[in-house]
Amino acid sequence: MTRHAGAAIDASRKLRFTFDGRAYEGVAGDTLASALLANGVRIVGRSFKYHRPRGLWGAWVDKPNAIMEVSLKGSELPNCLATTTTLEDGMEARAVNAWPNARRDIKGGLDLFSRFLTAGFYYKTFIWPDWHLFEPSIRKMAGLGSVSLEHLDDYITDQSHDQCDLLVIGGGPAGLAAARESAEAGRDVVLVDDQELIGGSAYQAPDIEEQYPEDWVTSQRAAIETAGGRILSRTTAYGVYDHQLVALIETRAFGQTPRLTRMRARHALLATGAIDRPVTLPGNDTPGVMSLTAAREYFHRYGVLAGGCAALISNQTDAQTALAPLQAAGLEIQALDPADPDLKIAGARQTTGVTLRDRHIPADLVLTSAGRTPMVHLWRHAGGKLTWSDPLQAFLPDNQLGWMQAIGAANGTFDTDTTLAEARARATGATPPADQPEPIQPLWPRPGAKGRQWIDFQHDVTLKDVELAARENYASVEHLKRYTTLGMASDQGKTSNMAGLAAMATLQGKEIPQVGTTTFRPPFVPVPLAAWAGQHQRQLYHPVKRLALEPQHRDAQAALCEYGGWLRPGWYGAGEADTRIAHEARTARATAGLLDGSPLGKIEVMGPDATAFVNFMFYNTMATLKPGQIRYGFLLTEGGIVYDDGVVSCLGENHFLISCSSSHVDGVRGMLETWRQDGNDPDQIFVHDLTMHWATLTVTGPQARDIVETLGLEADLSSDALPHMRFATSTWNETPMRIARVSFSGDLSFELSLRSSMAPALWDHLMGETKKIGGTLLGIEAMSVLRAEKGYIMVGKDTDGETMPHDLGFTIPRAKKTAPFVGDRSLHTETANDPHRKQLVGLTVPDGAPPLATGAHVVSDAPRRSLGYVTSSYLSPNLDRPVALGLVENGAARLGEEVTIWHDETLSKATITAPCAFDPEGDRLHA
Amino acid sequence: MRDDSQTWAAPAPLTAPLDLGGATLGRVTGLRQTLISGTRVLSTSATGWPAPVQGAPYRIVLRRDRVVEVGGAAHPEGWDEAAGEARSDISDGWTLLELSGAGAFGLLRRGTELSLAEPSASVVRKLWGLDVWLYRFEAEDKFRLHIARALDEALIGHLRLAADLARD
Amino acid sequence: MQRFPCPFCGLRDEREFHFVGELGKTRPDTSGPVSDEDWAHYLHMHRNEKGCVREVWMHTTCAELFAMERDSVTMEVLGTTQLRKDAS
């Protein structure tokens, strides 16, 4: 086929590509669609439901059917729109939803069953004997492209933020004129256009302001950039979000991720243009039926004449003039009366022309337009309202938004001179001259007419489907959409919404504006999810916090696992995890263990009101803590639920250290900062989170004191001078150090805290001494076993969203603490007083039985219902038997009782015991 | 209880400045950082955004009642009743990075919405969701960032990736 | 991505903020008796108006609590009130 001159193409540069396995040639500047059209390919895809052959309707985003899987150089992307995919040499395209190809899709036979596949068919058919029998096959047939299982390693989107004073959306004549006017007036202007060659509809005009369109566009561009304006091409504004944020997506080479920019615009001009509406008449989906404007675009931009002989069915008053250049290039045009009710488009896989009663008008191209629909999507995202224009038979922006105005075709202004005047006026904040649009004859679907007339070309919704929806009372425009799926395909109803709601209006005897439109939502065009993921993937998705001693742990062959947002040693050494963990747990009780406890929270609270404040925050009384003392306590929610546990140390008068659990530091800090300002005087209370500055190393076990003594500290570490729940301060290598007797293992335990930069030196020393006496490095897994042997809880594991402190055996503050504290009143509600509340217990199993499954339920016998569940369960190497903790109704009163356990459809037995299974007297703890 | 040692690459501390193509990222060591809280801390000279801070020591503003002194001498820690100040050494808790060059600002605005035309009294921001203290230092195209030590790998990772993506 | 005005730091990305609760809810004085109804109302009942709402928010990066009036339908920020005393 001959190529005419086209503004976007360079006919001297040939590009090779294939479509459905056949080789073709295009030129630089082509889209896949224009290249296919130039090669005479008429069937570019199959419709979603009936697999009907479809051709090219539009030339840009208003294309419902040319959806293709495209691969190039190892990148394979599903569901590419042929009209917006720039052709590159070597591209292989396949029509989706068609096998073996678009021309000969075997599922075209489905069309014969169309009577059974009308709107909502899946609510009414394929039900007996069992819907699930049909579901898999129907699901397989649904959908469009298939996703390649190859992972594109570098497919990460660059996301950025930007700001401007004026954002001009659309680089056609209106947008270019406005951008130039405002840039030259000194404003900070950004112009975006979604095409490689900006200019929009400019190329369809023979001239603009006495220049060739190409030259006019080029001179506007140059003027804008000289004046400091920025032009972003291949950039689509796909959505408007709260507070005047416009989302921009820049398309790049095939296989490259797009670039996302979140643009905050003080003002915006919507110059997004308008698209043709299809005419609703029988056979209107036949390949060869094309939008009037698209035919002009294919000719002026890409140099392709879409046919040799065209029938024209349009109510646009300037249609013949508009097509004059195509006529001059050899397209024969026969105009028909668009309102004639007997018009039918003839042809099956390819149009043969139009029939009108007993006449047949031959044509290989049928150009139709029932009027132009302004692209008001972004206006609606921004919350702008629409008004109905009777002369234009279209919805227009009411221009009452303040920060955004519409210009040009988006505003219903189609005449070039009027558009330019309007654009320049709006650019400087002036009121544009009033426009008297040329009225068009309404051309809407006629319900009740014979023959299949198509409304939604992607989802195969016909006029009869709209009639069905009305009959079944799905008459509201939002119900019409969901019941028929009209407007729900990937083109989001760009070419179908108006006809659908107009048909419903006629059926309901209403005016079109009474029916209204459905909600417009971003994105305006399909956007890959990767665009929103941006950098948030893999290691940067939810980065773990790293220990200062991570290199040391790696050297010691630690298995590093995620615990509470930190990467920490689960266990050390090569070999089976269970064996290593059991060894660590046994050795720690036999001699000693060394654990990196640095993630433990270290939040200091100081100021004149610190004491009262800490006393208010905690369940336990903290006001009586003296310097040097440490107390275990709970932080509750106002609902009385245990939020975190930890220890509070009194560092001095009005100076406390809250050592909350590692996974809750941010939450506890947030709680403290909130309450400090809410009902308290924040000028008297200061919260310093020093968790990251301090490292904490724990030495635990019968020989822990011996190890710590080797540090040569001045502090007296004897059990009289430094009993359990006390701390001392000292220096080591000129570094201040805190030595606290706090134990999570239940054995004699010292927590040594000093600044992180000195942690490696301390670790090396302690590791050496620990190894010397036959002790072990201790990971989190082994520590979890040790604390379970003692019945010590882990909040969130042995407590749930209902657990209150008295359920855990901590009853005194609830009964005795008179000063208010967070959650206090909630501990005396009907629920809190319920005698059947779940309480913390220990659970043992019969001799030889395996450990209980965590999460297994304790059940009553008849009727069988859950009485609680297992929260922690391990094989204890120190007791040589399983130990477990759980929450069980009224558990504290049931010690010694045998209960039934249900797990995975199996029943077994367990006995309720006190939570502490090891050294209940605490002799080892107080050594 | 899953060994993720290989999922997370061992941290590679920034020992030499990193060329990010249009910007350079380096680490600043040896400067004390002291957290000072109190109702009168803003009466001393302390910087916000975007005016560059000069010299050493200097103070950056985190809140209406909190500054961080960078590069100063040691202060007595704890609650000082007479001065009405709470002080804590946080030097080992925060990594100090410096990002400079013509491309520096473009990289930063990949992490959050940022404008040099919108002044702010404080230097606290979230970049890619991470809490940082961000301010200009000495020059228009030189920025300092403080990030929690445990997350400095993550921030450097974000900046490097931003530079790679910006280059394409 | 909305933007909110912290009384101290100025306009900032919404991701730096956290909703705290409705403005005007006073914690009952638990040093004396509090009825079940009053406590339940304090914990669970929210006005949740359509349109103008008055809320307490925290700018998490500077930890400041402040009051903000917003339109819960249009998302427009109608105004903010500083809750903290100015530095003396």
Side-chain angles (χ1 to χ4, degrees):
Chain A
M1 200 178 274
T2 48
R3 286 285 216 160
H4 302 265
I9 59 164
D10 174 2
S12 68
R13 282 170 48 211
K14 310 256 188 275
L15 305 173
R16 287 155 309 152
F17 70 103
T18 68
F19 173 59
D20 274 353
R22 272 192 177 184
Y24 296 98
E25 203 174 71
V27 299
D30 260 333
T31 59
L32 259 176
S34 61
L36 285 169
L37 194 63
N39 280 276
V41 174
R42 287 320 193 90
I43 299 174
V44 293
R46 290 276 170 160
S47 65
F48 175 65
K49 193 158 65 167
Y50 300 129
H51 289 253
R52 290 171 63 81
R54 291 282 159 79
L56 288 170
W57 159 262
W60 193 237
V61 295
D62 57 334
K63 176 73 206 85
N65 284 124
I67 300 175
M68 307 187 172
E69 262 160 34
V70 180
S71 43
L72 177 68
K73 295 188 211 131
S75 295
E76 198 180 309
L77 298 176
N79 297 343
C80 302
L81 196 55
T83 49
T84 60
T85 303
T86 304
L87 185 66
E88 292 188 43
D89 191 55
M91 262 184 176
E92 289 171 27
R94 279 202 176 276
V96 301
N97 198 36
W99 191 88
N101 56 49
R103 280 180 66 230
R104 301 224 162 274
D105 182 25
I106 59 171
K107 293 202 205 109
L110 267 174
D111 201 27
L112 297 171
F113 297 98
S114 58
R115 269 191 64 215
F116 303 105
L117 300 172
T118 54
F121 75 90
Y122 31 82
Y123 301 121
K124 304 169 187 163
T125 54
F126 299 107
I127 294 170
W128 182 88
D130 183 345
W131 156 246
H132 294 100
L133 292 174
F134 303 102
E135 191 187 350
S137 337
I138 293 181
R139 283 204 186 282
K140 267 195 105 170
M141 291 201 290
L144 295 172
S146 58
V147 177
S148 159
L149 295 178
E150 290 297 311
H151 187 260
L152 295 175
D153 271 327
D154 295 317
Y155 204 77
I156 304 175
T157 294
D158 184 19
Q159 291 181 347
S160 192
H161 300 82
D162 204 346
Q163 299 186 333
C164 67
D165 182 48
L166 175 66
L167 180 68
V168 180
I169 305 170
L176 283 165
R180 177 178 181 169
E181 191 77 15
S182 43
E184 287 176 343
R187 291 176 81 180
D188 171 23
V189 181
V190 174
L191 170 69
V192 299
D193 187 273
D194 54 1
Q195 301 237 33
E196 170 81 56
L197 174 70
I198 74 171
S201 60
Y203 308 101
Q204 295 171 27
D207 61 78
I208 304 181
E209 297 189 310
E210 286 157 28
Q211 283 183 288
Y212 284 126
E214 289 95 319
D215 297 331
W216 185 86
V217 172
T218 306
S219 55
Q220 305 312 303
R221 284 197 75 137
I224 292 165
E225 283 170 336
T226 306
R230 286 183 283 152
I231 298 177
L232 306 175
S233 60
R234 293 179 65 117
T235 301
T236 309
Y238 67 79
V240 179
Y241 298 88
D242 296 318
H243 300 183
Q244 298 172 210
L245 186 79
V246 183
L248 307 174
I249 192 113
E250 179 195 342
T251 312
R252 301 191 297 149
F254 186 83
Q256 272 195 306
T257 50
R259 178 168 280 138
L260 176 71
T261 302
R262 294 179 166 109
M263 175 71 76
R264 190 77 59 185
R266 230 161 286 134
H267 303 274
L269 286 174
L270 200 65
T272 45
I275 58 172
D276 281 327
R277 295 191 277 275
V279 180
T280 312
L281 39 72
N284 65 337
D285 74 326
T286 312
V289 178
M290 182 178 281
S291 139
L292 171 54
T293 308
R296 297 172 69 201
E297 273 290 276
Y298 281 120
F299 180 69
H300 292 288
R301 253 186 204 263
Y302 306 106
V304 183
L305 264 184
C309 174
L312 171 63
I313 306 174
S314 169
N315 59 359
Q316 288 198 42
T317 50
D318 61 347
Q320 303 258 58
T321 330
L323 290 168
L326 282 74
Q327 240 175 338
L331 179 68
E332 284 175 36
I333 299 177
Q334 171 143 25
L336 302 169
D337 174 13
D340 195 319
D342 295 323
L343 274 176
K344 292 194 214 308
I345 295 172
R349 295 155 48 72
Q350 157 73 33
T351 188
T352 55
V354 179
T355 62
L356 182 56
R357 290 174 283 278
D358 49 2
R359 269 178 70 202
H360 176 81
I361 299 122
D364 65 352
L365 182 66
V366 181
L367 300 179
T368 78
S369 168
R372 274 176 283 211
T373 305
M375 296 281 89
V376 299
H377 300 64
L378 298 176
W379 175 260
R380 290 293 294 133
H381 297 168
K385 297 202 181 2
L386 298 174
T387 58
W388 176 252
S389 161
D390 252 342
L392 296 176
Q393 292 288 293
F395 285 106
L396 302 180
D398 73 355
N399 279 318
Q400 295 299 309
L401 252 188
W403 70 282
M404 184 188 281
Q405 279 106 23
I407 53 176
N411 195 33
T413 310
F414 300 122
D415 172 71
T416 307
D417 290 330
T418 320
T419 294
L420 295 175
E422 176 187 60
R424 288 172 181 138
R426 285 287 188 204
T428 52
T431 318
D435 181 35
Q436 299 297 351
E438 183 117 25
I440 56 167
Q441 175 194 14
L443 194 60
W444 296 112
R446 279 179 281 251
K450 287 225 194 66
R452 287 160 92 195
Q453 302 179 49
W454 302 87
I455 303 243
D456 185 318
F457 297 95
Q458 204 178 109
H459 270 180
D460 277 343
V461 178
T462 62
L463 182 53
K464 283 208 187 333
D465 289 322
V466 178
E467 292 169 22
L468 175 67
R471 271 203 307 279
E472 302 202 351
N473 203 27
Y474 292 99
S476 102
V477 68
E478 298 281 6
H479 281 150
L480 166 64
K481 172 177 175 179
R482 272 77 185 183
Y483 191 63
T484 62
T485 75
L486 186 166
M488 293 180 73
S490 64
D491 66 334
Q492 287 287 285
K494 288 181 178 62
T495 51
S496 57
N497 282 339
M498 287 305 300
L501 62 95
M504 184 54 84
T506 308
L507 287 163
Q508 299 275 295
K510 289 189 173 146
E511 296 298 315
I512 290 175
Q514 277 181 287
V515 174
T517 61
T518 54
T519 305
F520 292 80
R521 296 186 179 89
F524 174 67
V525 288
V527 171
L529 287 173
W532 295 313
Q535 291 206 14
H536 293 288
Q537 45 182 287
R538 299 192 211 171
Q539 295 206 5
L540 293 174
Y541 179 68
H542 193 178
V544 277
K545 294 174 182 150
R546 313 295 205 114
L547 297 167
L549 291 174
E550 187 177 321
Q552 282 76 6
H553 296 308
R554 284 187 186 265
D555 283 342
Q557 288 185 288
L560 296 168
C561 319
E562 288 188 47
Y563 295 101
W566 287 82
L567 193 64
R568 306 180 70 175
W571 61 93
Y572 292 86
E576 272 288 317
D578 287 339
T579 316
R580 296 299 316 152
I581 293 163
H583 168 81
E584 286 177 23
R586 223 178 288 122
T587 310
R589 290 225 192 276
T591 44
L594 173 64
L595 176 124
D596 182 357
S598 299
L600 274 175
K602 303 151 205 98
I603 302 180
E604 293 191 20
V605 181
M606 13 182 179
D609 287 352
T611 307
F613 180 62
V614 173
N615 204 48
F616 172 72
M617 292 305 305
F618 277 86
Y619 171 63
N620 318 68
T621 300
M622 296 298 178
T624 52
L625 265 184
K626 308 230 177 331
Q629 288 182 333
I630 307 174
R631 191 164 294 164
Y632 178 71
F634 294 105
L635 286 166
L636 309 180
T637 65
E638 276 280 57
I641 310 301
V642 173
Y643 178 72
D644 193 47
D645 68 344
V647 295
V648 178
S649 308
C650 179
L651 301 183
E653 197 186 328
N654 286 317
H655 191 177
F656 295 85
L657 173 67
I658 296 175
S659 189
C660 49
S661 54
S662 342
S663 53
H664 280 79
V665 175
D666 294 332
V668 169
R669 189 185 62 242
M671 253 181 109
L672 295 168
E673 293 281 9
T674 306
W675 281 108
R676 161 186 177 241
Q677 296 172 75
D678 187 356
N680 290 296
D681 185 357
D683 291 348
Q684 313 297 327
I685 306 161
F686 299 95
V687 175
H688 282 194
D689 180 3
L690 306 178
T691 305
M692 302 280 174
H693 175 77
W694 289 83
T696 302
L697 302 182
T698 303
V699 185
T700 171
Q703 292 183 250
R705 186 176 279 113
D706 301 332
I707 292 169
V708 180
E709 297 276 13
T710 67
L711 291 170
L713 306 169
E714 297 129 24
D716 183 348
L717 304 171
S718 68
S719 88
D720 290 330
L722 192 62
H724 183 55
M725 298 305 265
R726 282 285 219 282
F727 71 91
T729 52
S730 192
T731 46
W732 178 73
N733 278 8
E734 289 158 36
T735 311
M737 179 190 279
R738 218 158 23 226
I739 307 108
R741 277 208 50 192
V742 176
S743 180
F744 197 40
S745 63
D747 284 342
L748 169 67
S749 174
F750 294 86
E751 285 185 357
L752 309 170
S753 300
L754 81 175
R755 60 187 301 165
S756 297
S757 55
M758 289 301 291
L762 183 61
W763 175 265
D764 284 342
H765 178 106
L766 292 172
M767 182 169 67
E769 295 300 325
T770 304
K771 294 253 163 94
K772 245 194 249 174
I773 57 124
T776 180
L777 295 180
L778 193 56
I780 300 292
E781 294 298 324
M783 181 58 109
S784 301
V785 178
L786 298 177
R787 63 93 206 171
E789 290 171 347
K790 292 293 297 181
Y792 296 161
I793 58 159
M794 287 168 78
V795 172
K797 181 170 169 56
D798 304 298
T799 70
D800 62 21
E802 297 180 321
T803 311
M804 296 183 169
H806 55 283
D807 300 328
L808 303 170
F810 292 85
T811 57
I812 296 174
R814 178 174 177 241
K816 298 265 173 62
K817 184 176 178 181
T818 50
F821 57 91
V822 178
D824 50 13
R825 182 58 181 81
S826 294
L827 299 178
H828 300 281
T829 59
E830 197 181 311
T831 312
N833 293 327
D834 186 337
H836 299 294
R837 289 185 62 81
K838 292 206 283 288
Q839 294 168 327
L840 181 73
V841 296
L843 290 159
T844 56
V845 294
D847 279 347
L852 296 169
T854 308
H857 285 260
V858 175
V859 293
S860 61
D861 288 317
R864 180 151 293 139
R865 71 171 185 89
S866 173
L867 302 172
Y869 54 93
V870 178
T871 59
S872 292
S873 176
Y874 309 92
L875 183 57
S876 160
N878 291 301
L879 295 163
D880 245 326
R881 61 167 173 83
V883 290
L885 299 173
L887 288 167
V888 180
E889 279 183 22
N890 201 19
R894 302 166 68 163
L895 300 190
E897 198 181 301
E898 194 185 60
V899 290
T900 310
I901 304 285
W902 185 94
H903 176 70
D904 225 1
E905 308 196 11
T906 319
L907 295 172
S908 63
K909 291 287 183 203
T911 306
I912 296 181
T913 64
C916 180
F918 184 83
D919 181 33
E921 303 305 312
D923 295 330
R924 298 171 64 103
L925 184 63
H926 292 280
Chain B
M1 200 182 112
R2 183 188 64 208
D3 182 355
D4 277 338
S5 312
Q6 306 314 312
T7 310
W8 300 93
L14 206 57
T15 43
L18 205 56
D19 178 12
L20 297 178
T24 310
L25 179 67
R27 214 186 132 179
V28 181
T29 54
L31 291 181
R32 176 174 283 108
Q33 298 171 70
T34 311
L35 203 61
I36 306 174
S37 300
T39 56
R40 303 194 289 277
V41 292
L42 291 187
S43 59
T44 65
S45 150
T47 200
W49 172 272
V53 73
Q54 312 279 345
Y58 59 86
R59 294 183 168 202
I60 54 178
V61 178
L62 303 192
R63 317 175 172 185
R64 65 172 69 246
D65 58 2
R66 178 170 297 185
V67 297
V68 172
E69 186 179 270
V70 184
H75 290 269
E77 292 185 66
W79 173 248
D80 180 337
E81 180 70 44
E85 278 181 2
R87 298 186 211 97
S88 300
D89 186 348
I90 52 159
S91 308
D92 289 359
W94 294 82
T95 301
L96 180 48
L97 301 172
E98 205 166 83
L99 184 71
S100 53
F105 186 66
L107 290 183
L108 292 170
R109 42 159 44 160
R110 281 166 161 82
T112 191
E113 191 164 336
L114 204 57
S115 167
L116 293 164
E118 283 176 352
S120 178
S122 77
V123 301
V124 292
R125 302 268 172 184
K126 272 196 191 289
L127 276 185
W128 292 285
L130 303 170
D131 283 310
V132 300
W133 307 333
L134 171 66
Y135 53 99
R136 263 168 153 169
F137 179 73
E138 278 179 354
E140 300 234 313
D141 66 349
K142 193 189 279 198
F143 299 88
R144 282 196 165 175
L145 302 96
H146 300 239
I147 173 80
R149 187 204 43 74
L151 288 165
D152 61 11
E153 277 294 299
L155 181 62
I156 293 167
H158 278 301
L159 286 164
R160 293 179 79 151
L161 185 52
D164 283 341
L165 296 172
R167 250 196 286 259
D168 290 338
Chain C
M1 224 63 58
Q2 299 186 53
R3 296 222 289 170
F4 296 133
C6 167
F8 184 70
C9 307
L11 267 181
R12 291 298 185 85
D13 189 322
E14 71 170 272
R15 292 168 284 190
E16 293 184 10
F17 293 84
H18 182 75
F19 172 73
V20 175
E22 290 194 330
L23 181 67
K25 252 202 183 167
T26 310
R27 187 179 199 269
D29 180 4
T30 54
S31 62
V34 177
S35 71
D36 279 340
E37 286 73 26
D38 286 348
W39 189 249
H41 194 279
Y42 165 69
L43 284 183
H44 304 300
M45 299 307 287
H46 309 286
R47 296 184 309 262
N48 198 31
E49 297 100 332
K50 178 179 180 179
C52 176
V53 289
R54 290 170 307 131
E55 304 169 328
V56 178
W57 284 77
M58 179 191 267
H59 184 208
T60 59
T61 44
C62 80
E64 172 138 335
L65 282 194
F66 62 99
M68 181 156 59
E69 247 179 66
R70 302 184 310 117
D71 187 313
S72 63
V73 176
T74 65
M75 300 300 128
E76 191 188 337
V77 174
L78 302 170
T80 56
T81 309
Q82 182 175 308
L83 293 175
R84 294 290 304 271
K85 289 176 264 161
D86 274 329
S88 45

